[in-house]
Every structure is written in structure tokens, then in C-alpha cells.
């Protein structure tokens, strides 16, 4: 079983900052990536940023230069530092750990419960 727990959401004014945390635990054979998604009200879930255990990083264009993803040395805690927040960043942010477990030999997503980020003008 894999557990994914996000924290750090909240309300902030435009231009402000928030830092989200994602803690991954459980019986993991290998980590593939840890991804941050967001879901705006009435919209689908979009990939925002991703980091691999080796440190390969990806950002969607709309957050490039404003958001920064990082991880602890144990690769089980991943952060998303969000600066210069805009009202369009308002969404529920989800962490997804793509991992291999003893029961599943392929990389599979395990999702957190989500954390609300609200940016006001």
C-alpha cells in the first residue's frame, strides 16, 4: 500500500507565495516520478510539474519561472514552491506518486487527497 499526503495549501493574494509538500510512504520498490497536478473548478486535472528520482524536472509553460519543484534526499518528500501566484493558479492541487510496488511491476499513480490553493486579486 502506498500513501500520498499533501499539505501547504491555503489562501493568498496575487503576487504571493505558497509551498506545497507531498509525503510518500509505503512499500515501494522503485520511484518513477512524483507529479503535481491541479484541477480548476469545472475543469480537468492538468499536470503542473514533475520530478524524477534522478532529478529530471518538468514544468508546464504557465508556471515556468514561477514554480519550483524539489525533493528531499530520500525522494519521499517533494515540494512545490509557488511564487508570483496569479488568480489563474486557483485550483485543487494533487500530488501523484508514480511508483513500482511488489504487487505491480509497472509505474502506477497513487494519488493524494488534494489541497486547495486560492489566489485572490
Amino acid at each position: 500500500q502506498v500513501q500520498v499526503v499533501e499539505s501547504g495549501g491555503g489562501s493568498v493574494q496575487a503576487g504571493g507565495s505558497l509551498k506545497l509538500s507531498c509525503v510518500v510512504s509505503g512499500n515501494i520498490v522503485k520511484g518513477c516520478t512524483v507529479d503535481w497536478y491541479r484541477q480548476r473548478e469545472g475543469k480537468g486535472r492538468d499536470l503542473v510539474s514533475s520530478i524524477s528520482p534522478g532529478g529530471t524536472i518538468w514544468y508546464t509553460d504557465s508556471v515556468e519561472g514561477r514554480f519550483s519543484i524539489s525533493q528531499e534526499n530520500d525522494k519521499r518528500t517533494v515540494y512545490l514552491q509557488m511564487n508570483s501566484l496569479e488568480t489563474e493558479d486557483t485550483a485543487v492541487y494533487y500530488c501523484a506518486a508514480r511508483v513500482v510496488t511488489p504487487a505491480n511491476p509497472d509505474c502506477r499513480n497513487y494519488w493524494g487527497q488534494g489541497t486547495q490553493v486560492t489566489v485572490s486579486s
Side-chain angles (χ1 to χ4, degrees):
Q1 191 76 349
V2 177
Q3 295 81 40
V4 179
V5 179
E6 307 105 331
S7 61
S11 297
V12 66
Q13 287 195 316
S17 299
L18 285 172
K19 186 173 184 177
L20 306 183
S21 300
C22 174
V23 179
V24 182
S25 60
N27 193 4
I28 296 169
V29 173
K30 184 184 79 170
C32 304
T33 61
V34 176
D35 307 321
W36 284 100
Y37 287 77
R38 66 185 178 189
Q39 187 166 16
R40 298 182 178 99
E41 190 171 350
K43 305 290 187 181
R45 196 170 294 189
D46 298 318
L47 180 62
V48 174
S49 184
S50 177
I51 189 167
S52 73
T56 300
I57 288 172
W58 177 90
Y59 299 104
T60 192
D61 286 348
S62 62
V63 308
E64 183 83 54
R66 300 188 298 120
F67 290 12
S68 177
I69 193 169
S70 61
Q71 60 190 349
E72 295 286 357
N73 287 339
D74 64 3
K75 319 301 184 190
R76 295 293 186 104
T77 302
V78 172
Y79 304 103
L80 186 68
Q81 176 68 48
M82 305 186 295
N83 298 327
S84 301
L85 281 162
E86 304 169 352
T87 55
E88 293 77 16
D89 296 317
T90 295
V92 178
Y93 284 71
Y94 295 92
C95 179
R98 285 175 52 81
V99 300
V100 173
T101 65
N104 294 293
D106 300 318
C107 295
R108 183 170 296 194
N109 274 353
Y110 293 85
W111 293 90
Q113 79 285 356
T115 185
Q116 176 71 44
V117 171
T118 303
V119 184
S120 59
S121 58

